[in-house]
Amino acid sequence: MNKNLYVVLMAGGVGVRFWPYSRNSRPKQFLDVLGTGKTLIQSTLERFLPLCPMENIYVVTHEEHAALVKQQLPELSDQQILAEPMRKNTAACIAYASYKIYEKNKDAIIVVSPSDHLIMKENEFRDIIKKAVDQAKAQDKLITLGIKPTRPETGYGYIQYHTEKNFAKKVKTFTEKPELTLAKKFLESGDFVWNAGIFIWGVQAIVKALQSYTPEMAEVFEDIKTKLGTSEEKGAIQAAYPQCKSISIDYAVMEKAQNVYVCLGDFDWSDLGSWASIHEISAKDENNNAISANAQTYDTRNCIIRGSNDKLIVVQGLNGYLVGEFGNVVIVCEKDKEEQFRRFVNDVKTRPNANEFI
């Protein structure tokens, strides 16, 4: 076990694309989406425990969910739960965690991971992480994980890399969510991988990159870094966050830096970013329906049906739909049109008593 290895779990999202299952009060990462008896964030933490000590794992989340993190991950101390006063995307989240770890251990290697992804073949995943950590020890590389694509997926980002034989391959380009025709060309070319949004780097390397490419944000955290890990941390972060630009680490650093590398993985992975992705990895009946409900179906295929056991759901004549009963919301809609869910939530916000439903 590597005592210089730290893991940062990003748990600040609200999971709009999983509404109405995912709500503001309990977003996707805090749900047992896969029916395993564990929430996604619990499964993610367990995935990393063989690699580093529990005390080296940090969770960054919105302050309204800090208590939920503590409830689901009681092993973490309050100092390991980094509560953001507002959502500022992943650059600020990573800067907060990186500067806090920097003050603690300047030889640290950090793995940054979303808290709500599915990873199968976890031993293979950990082997790749270990090799990437070895590459990052020199504190001179920014490394991301790339997943060998199995289809021309338009919902993922892509990384193009130089095809040298090294384990860590120099990145050529990043492309975010391409059109289908372009995604097909990426697949055919053989030198593109899906961007898993998992990063490995030395703490010195990421701090230097933040200083170079987001100097205003870096300056904000430089000013408060000695307060991190002390009783003054909360007040310092409350004052710092309004000064931070809302930008992803990909746009802020990874697409600008010259020392970016990708390590290729062939473990099964999904960002669980849509109901379609849930359907893909779920057990299905002979008509390709993924059913977690007390349901009867007729002439129905390629659907997700979810509900409580005390209500009977009868579905007839549907193809490719989500049919779900989630608390006080019942939804029937095409499951593959993930962009519609943001519209649903925005429209619900205009209704009376909207907070009851989102």
Side-chain angles (χ1 to χ4, degrees):
M1 187 173 290
N2 187 345
K3 292 184 179 179
N4 282 335
L5 180 59
Y6 291 73
V7 172
V8 175
L9 304 183
M10 299 183 290
V14 291
V16 169
R17 288 179 293 176
F18 272 102
W19 184 84
Y21 182 34
S22 176
R23 306 285 185 103
N24 284 347
S25 60
R26 193 174 289 261
K28 178 180 69 164
Q29 59 269 29
F30 302 111
L31 298 171
D32 180 10
V33 172
L34 304 172
T36 62
K38 297 173 185 174
T39 64
L40 292 177
I41 194 170
Q42 288 171 330
S43 296
T44 304
L45 181 135
E46 288 186 8
R47 186 177 304 136
F48 286 102
L49 279 180
L51 297 177
C52 76
M54 176 70 78
E55 60 266 25
N56 287 12
I57 297 178
Y58 291 81
V59 175
V60 188
T61 192
H62 191 275
E63 60 184 13
E64 68 180 312
H65 297 132
L68 200 50
V69 173
K70 187 69 173 174
Q71 176 189 329
Q72 295 198 359
L73 305 176
E75 312 93 332
L76 299 185
S77 70
D78 292 344
Q79 277 294 328
Q80 292 170 266
I81 302 171
L82 281 56
E84 297 180 290
M86 56 189 69
R87 292 180 176 90
K88 289 286 187 173
N89 214 314
T90 54
C93 157
I94 286 168
Y96 180 8
S98 298
Y99 272 92
K100 182 161 181 171
I101 293 169
Y102 184 81
E103 287 302 295
K104 191 179 182 71
N105 183 350
K106 291 179 175 55
D107 295 321
I109 308 299
I110 303 173
V111 179
V112 180
S113 171
S115 59
D116 56 0
H117 287 187
L118 170 70
I119 291 175
M120 308 294 281
K121 299 181 182 176
E122 292 194 343
N123 287 331
E124 287 89 336
F125 169 76
R126 283 188 285 265
D127 286 342
I128 290 169
I129 291 289
K130 288 177 186 176
K131 291 177 183 177
V133 167
D134 285 339
Q135 293 285 322
K137 281 181 181 176
Q139 301 280 346
D140 61 353
K141 294 183 180 72
L142 303 175
I143 299 172
T144 186
L145 289 194
I147 310 298
K148 293 177 182 177
T150 57
R151 61 184 183 278
E153 173 64 55
T154 59
Y156 294 160
Y158 285 74
I159 301 169
Q160 184 185 26
Y161 59 91
H162 293 276
T163 55
E164 69 262 21
K165 294 183 179 180
N166 300 336
F167 175 71
K169 303 177 188 302
K170 196 84 160 57
V171 169
K172 280 187 185 179
T173 61
F174 288 89
T175 304
E176 186 64 22
K177 296 182 180 179
E179 296 290 330
L180 182 59
T181 52
L182 189 56
K184 288 179 178 177
K185 289 179 181 177
F186 288 172
L187 207 63
E188 291 166 5
S189 76
D191 60 351
F192 283 81
V193 286
W194 288 333
N195 185 353
I198 298 170
F199 308 102
I200 305 96
W201 42 48
V203 70
Q204 297 172 39
I206 186 58
V207 166
K208 183 178 179 181
L210 290 165
Q211 291 168 341
S212 297
Y213 303 110
T214 58
E216 299 89 353
M217 186 181 295
E219 185 177 351
V220 169
F221 285 96
E222 288 284 345
D223 288 345
I224 66 166
K225 64 183 181 181
T226 59
K227 297 178 181 178
L228 300 179
T230 75
S231 59
E232 298 180 76
E233 178 174 332
K234 182 175 180 179
I237 289 297
Q238 293 279 354
Y241 258 67
Q243 303 176 62
C244 293
K245 182 179 181 180
S246 182
I247 187 171
S248 73
I249 196 70
D250 299 89
Y251 289 133
V253 172
M254 302 300 280
E255 293 186 11
K256 298 175 182 176
Q258 300 302 307
N259 58 334
V260 178
Y261 294 79
V262 62
C263 296
L264 309 187
D266 57 0
F267 48 84
D268 294 334
W269 167 87
S270 171
D271 73 347
L272 299 179
S274 65
W275 283 108
S277 64
I278 291 293
H279 181 266
E280 183 181 345
I281 58 96
S282 296
K284 292 173 276 288
D285 68 10
E286 65 276 9
N287 295 308
N288 206 38
N289 297 311
I291 301 174
S292 297
N294 184 7
Q296 290 179 202
T297 62
Y298 305 87
D299 188 28
T300 292
R301 57 197 184 278
N302 307 315
C303 289
I304 298 176
I305 304 171
R306 288 208 171 196
S308 56
N309 288 327
D310 61 345
K311 293 189 178 81
L312 175 65
I313 299 177
V314 180
V315 184
Q316 184 272 326
L318 293 185
N319 180 13
Y321 271 70
L322 165 66
V323 180
E325 175 246 330
F326 302 101
N328 59 356
V329 177
V330 175
I331 188 167
V332 181
C333 65
E334 293 170 283
K335 67 175 172 59
D336 293 341
K337 293 190 175 179
E338 61 181 84
E339 71 281 356
Q340 290 286 346
F341 285 85
R342 195 171 300 278
R343 177 185 171 189
F344 298 159
V345 171
N346 288 336
D347 288 347
V348 168
K349 287 178 180 177
T350 67
R351 298 177 61 88
N353 304 319
N355 288 339
E356 295 179 16
F357 305 108
I358 58 173

